[in-house]
Amino acid sequence: MTPEILSLAKYLASSRAEFTLSEMNLYLSRKYEEKELYKILKPHFYDLDLVCDAHFKCIKLVKQPLPADESVLRELEGLFKTPRLPARIEKLVESYIEHSCGKDWHTGETAREIRENIVKQKEEYWGGKSQYPKIRIISYLLYHFPVYFCQYQYLLLDLFRSGLLTTKMSILDVGSGPGTITLSTVDFLQKLLGIYSKKNIDVKLNIKIDTIEQAQENINCYNELTSSYLSNETDNASITITEPFHAPAGAAKPQEDADLIVFSNVLAEMSIPPVERADAVERIASGSKNLTIVIIEPADLVNSTALRVTQRALVKKGFNIFSPCTLIWGIGCSGGNCWSFEEPGNIQVPDFMKKIARTEESYRYINTDMKFTSVILRKDSQVKHAYRAKGKFVRLANLKKHVGKRVNIVASVMSGNLGDEKTFVFKVCDATTSLPCYAVLPSYHMNDANRSLLEAGYGDIVEIFGTLIRENKAFSSYNLLITRNTAARHAN
Ligand SMILES: C[S@@+](CC[C@H](N)C(=O)[O-])C[C@H]1O[C@@H](n2cnc3c(N)ncnc32)[C@H](O)[C@@H]1O
């Protein structure tokens, strides 16, 4: 890189709304091909605020929220209705497996070894610790990667709806593993750009993705998958993926001016108590002002409740919960022991998963169930639902006084249906109590007045009028019986 090229690009980027790379030759001491200039400047596009297209026309980018009008949103939501790995990613993962383990990886001794690792990895992972020597990354790609890739796009959709995704973004993927979050983000943004272009909405993107990862073999896999994926340039987008920072997250320095930091299935792997994990998050986040933090963990009891402990420790440090929890009465969440997760459904089985599952007990190698616990945090008091309760409702913390009576309550729906088709059961929470509360709707009581309970999404707020309170002493919990005389309505 000659300093002359960079300083000229800086000058042009600061003084013009657009220019072509060939124009640079008017001012340089020697002539360069446009392609050469593009290659030299590409790693600097993010800092220069430039997006350069296939014709080498460079445009100065203004940072603003990505337009999320109704028609764009509907189309984007439509794309995620049948969640699956995109064909290109599926192919990429399968070729990685093939060249790591040979073309016949899904038969014979290699397949046996991989299957053994998948089972072992599941056991260790739920136990909260995991090592990734060599074949482990293959097992991870085959078993965990597809679901984690797809479920993250649900959270991205939420960030997009709320205006938290912008045209210029610095993203940090902590504990990146093989690149699940990085690849999922790029795929999401490319789909979005496709929709903009179809609708003739002129949007350009300038994205930089940094990573912190402690395992070298995962870094190797990350580098290979992301560089192959990005080898096709995307028009209207400059996407820079930097070399992963090889270190434990606890030792990483604060990330400067990040817009989005993602901890996906990594905090539970840190061998420190959940409260102390908040220190690592806070330190990494301390260099960024206008930041969104996304933390995702598995939905099982141990990891899910641990995330809520970390979340509360982060709130004490000055972060606010954007979603899924709403402080309905304006007071901080007192709920310890909170087990709440979302279940957006199943993904389609990728071909490579089908191949490794062609054996006895194939169900052991099929993983399609999206089920996760997450929190989105901000520091500027922005929240997804700004709802506040007014006097006509009973706080869940006060239910003891109302057992056997009909009362009005307002709460967030904090689970999918935990019951069955005969009796719908939803965990509900208003952030005033740590005792679990469940709205219980027998199907024979369902009618137009109370049906909206079923239609509420995870974290949505419902006002419930005339619910009968029952105490479940055996489980130290309360049931809020919804009968045909109970009305429920959305409140966010
Ligand atoms: C379960 S994988 C998750 C990978 C990816 N984020 C995803 O959601 O699929 C956990 C990853 O975090 C890495 N990891 C675990 N503890 C870490 C730490 N303290 N610092 C950095 N990376 C860590 C592991 O090496 C592994 O790549």
Side-chain angles (χ1 to χ4, degrees):
M1 152 63 105
T2 75
E4 189 194 12
I5 296 174
L6 185 57
S7 62
L8 175 60
K10 272 187 191 156
Y11 170 73
L12 291 173
S14 63
S15 57
R16 303 214 190 149
E18 58 178 75
F19 61 93
T20 58
L21 290 183
S22 62
E23 273 178 74
M24 292 183 75
N25 281 317
L26 296 173
Y27 311 99
L28 291 169
S29 53
R30 87 163 178 77
K31 227 172 149 38
Y32 291 85
E33 298 259 318
E34 287 168 315
K35 257 193 205 156
E36 264 181 290
L37 289 170
Y38 184 88
K39 203 167 158 212
I40 292 170
L41 287 173
K42 194 172 183 308
H44 303 279
F45 285 156
Y46 184 81
D47 291 331
L48 291 168
D49 277 345
L50 286 180
V51 179
C52 300
D53 67 15
H55 308 290
F56 306 111
K57 188 168 101 180
C58 299
I59 294 185
K60 178 102 178 137
L61 185 120
V62 179
K63 182 172 179 172
Q64 56 197 10
L66 285 167
D69 64 50
E70 268 315 288
S71 74
V72 172
L73 199 50
R74 291 296 149 261
E75 197 154 336
L76 193 62
E77 284 170 349
L79 293 181
F80 297 112
K81 283 237 159 78
T82 37
R84 56 173 304 160
L85 274 190
R88 249 192 90 209
I89 299 271
E90 222 184 292
K91 231 168 126 193
L92 202 67
V93 169
E94 184 150 1
S95 352
Y96 180 85
I97 297 172
E98 258 178 37
H99 82 231
S100 308
C101 300
K103 241 186 150 28
D104 296 326
W105 60 272
H106 45 90
T107 59
E109 182 55 20
T110 316
R112 195 199 55 74
E113 209 179 314
I114 294 174
R115 288 187 191 115
E116 194 180 291
N117 262 290
I118 288 179
V119 173
K120 213 159 141 211
Q121 191 172 63
K122 273 199 273 187
E123 286 160 5
E124 285 177 7
Y125 190 58
W126 300 127
K129 59 181 158 65
S130 180
Q131 310 295 321
Y132 292 90
K134 292 252 155 74
I135 207 149
R136 289 300 180 87
I137 196 77
I138 303 292
S139 323
Y140 192 85
L141 285 168
L142 285 165
Y143 189 81
H144 290 293
F145 174 88
V147 162
Y148 292 163
F149 178 101
C150 294
Q151 73 188 20
Y152 179 58
Q153 297 193 328
Y154 279 85
L155 295 177
L156 281 175
L157 201 54
D158 229 13
L159 297 181
F160 174 65
R161 279 191 201 104
S162 309
L164 291 179
L165 298 184
T166 48
T167 49
K168 186 178 182 196
M169 275 186 290
S170 161
I171 300 172
L172 176 67
D173 177 359
V174 183
S176 51
T180 325
I181 296 306
T182 298
L183 292 166
S184 178
T185 306
V186 175
D187 173 65
F188 180 94
L189 294 173
Q190 284 175 338
K191 286 191 166 116
L192 186 55
L193 282 178
I195 294 172
Y196 287 141
S197 130
K198 221 167 79 184
K199 295 185 179 294
N200 289 321
I201 305 174
D202 183 23
V203 175
K204 301 204 179 341
L205 282 180
N206 198 346
I207 308 295
K208 176 169 70 90
I209 306 182
D210 298 307
T211 48
I212 303 172
E213 170 55 59
Q214 71 175 12
Q216 186 57 49
E217 60 272 22
N218 294 4
I219 291 180
N220 298 344
C221 179
Y222 179 94
N223 283 340
E224 197 167 327
L225 292 182
T226 56
S227 62
S228 315
Y229 190 65
L230 281 185
S231 57
N232 294 1
E233 291 293 338
T234 308
D235 244 0
N236 288 332
S238 166
I239 298 174
T240 310
I241 295 187
T242 60
E243 177 62 27
F245 182 58
H246 184 189
K253 59 181 184 354
Q255 182 76 358
E256 291 300 315
D257 295 324
D259 297 281
L260 177 60
I261 302 186
V262 188
F263 297 81
S264 170
N265 300 298
V266 59
L267 290 188
E269 293 204 0
M270 295 178 123
S271 49
I272 48 175
V275 171
E276 287 171 33
R277 293 170 196 165
D279 298 339
V281 175
E282 183 192 31
R283 214 174 35 72
I284 292 172
S286 62
S288 308
K289 284 193 201 82
N290 191 12
L291 172 70
T292 302
I293 297 178
V294 177
I295 307 177
I296 308 165
E297 292 294 352
D300 67 286
L301 177 66
V302 173
N303 288 311
S304 175
T305 49
L307 170 56
R308 300 296 174 215
V309 173
T310 308
Q311 166 184 319
R312 275 194 298 285
L314 284 162
V315 169
K316 281 193 186 145
K317 290 173 182 291
F319 291 88
N320 69 277
I321 302 169
F322 175 82
S323 70
C325 316
T326 302
L327 306 181
I328 285 181
W329 292 93
I331 52 170
C333 169
S334 59
N337 190 28
C338 169
W339 188 14
S340 163
F341 51 85
E342 68 191 287
E343 295 178 89
N346 286 338
I347 67 161
Q348 290 186 17
V349 190
D351 278 349
F352 55 69
M353 201 185 274
K354 284 184 192 153
K355 285 184 185 165
I356 200 64
R358 261 185 227 140
T359 182
E360 288 158 27
E361 299 189 317
S362 61
Y363 67 89
R364 301 181 89 182
Y365 313 104
I366 298 282
N367 180 24
T368 55
D369 189 10
M370 290 187 282
K371 210 176 194 181
F372 60 97
T373 300
S374 71
V375 64
I376 299 177
L377 297 154
R378 298 273 309 171
K379 266 208 140 167
D380 58 0
S381 310
Q382 263 197 79
V383 290
K384 184 172 172 189
H385 302 308
Y387 180 95
R388 285 287 182 268
K390 307 224 169 61
K392 58 191 173 196
F393 300 103
V394 168
R395 295 178 190 213
L396 295 180
N398 295 335
L399 288 186
K400 198 167 186 56
K401 290 187 236 156
H402 299 276
V403 173
K405 296 182 201 150
R406 284 188 181 266
V407 296
N408 303 337
I409 66 108
V410 54
S412 309
V413 175
M414 296 303 291
S415 74
N417 179 19
L418 302 170
D420 53 31
E421 291 307 303
K422 280 197 178 143
T423 310
F424 298 97
V425 179
F426 297 94
K427 185 178 176 100
V428 291
C429 175
D430 68 355
T432 63
T433 177
S434 53
L435 291 182
C437 300
Y438 300 96
V440 178
L441 170 57
S443 59
Y444 55 86
H445 276 307
M446 190 162 66
N447 58 27
D448 286 347
N450 59 34
R451 190 184 309 276
S452 53
L453 177 66
L454 259 62
E455 288 152 7
Y458 183 76
D460 281 355
I461 299 163
V462 284
E463 293 175 340
I464 304 178
F465 300 93
T467 176
L468 183 63
I469 307 305
R470 288 183 172 160
E471 189 173 8
N472 187 339
K473 285 198 171 136
F475 290 98
S476 303
S477 64
Y478 290 98
N479 288 345
L480 284 57
L481 187 66
I482 315 291
T483 66
R484 57 181 62 85
N485 299 320
T486 311
R489 68 171 185 221
H490 266 152
N492 44 277

